[in-house]
Amino acid sequence: KPYVIIGGGLYPLRLPGSTTRENDWGANGGAGLSFGLPFTSAGAFVEVRYHAITRPNTAAYHFIPITLGILF
């Protein structure tokens, strides 16, 4: 089954060379696919999300994690 996911939140960031942590707002969106595993009652999923974290007075951070999982 395909699905779409969106969200937003406060991202804690520790910048390279810094000992302090900053919090910045961000948003994410992506899509995934869940499916049954053959010969079991378990399922699995694969999901891709795009994250964008806004930063005041600097460039935004962007990353795209790919998540694989098993559902019991």
Side-chain angles (χ1 to χ4, degrees), residues 1 33-38 42-46 68-69 71:
K1 296 179 183 179
L33 181 65
S34 64
F35 50 91
L37 294 175
F45 68 92
V46 60
L68 305 171
L71 305 167

Side-chain angles (χ1 to χ4, degrees), residues 2-61:
Y3 61 91
V4 175
I5 189 164
I6 60 170
L10 195 60
Y11 289 76
L13 297 173
R14 182 170 297 157
L15 302 175
S18 176
T19 58
T20 61
R21 184 176 292 184
E22 299 178 20
N23 293 316
D24 292 308
W25 292 102
N28 64 73
L33 181 65
S34 64
F35 50 91
L37 294 175
F39 311 110
T40 69
S41 62
F45 68 92
V46 60
E47 180 177 289
V48 178
R49 283 197 199 194
Y50 170 75
H51 291 261
I53 304 169
T54 58
R55 308 257 1 253
N57 304 321
T58 62
Y61 283 108

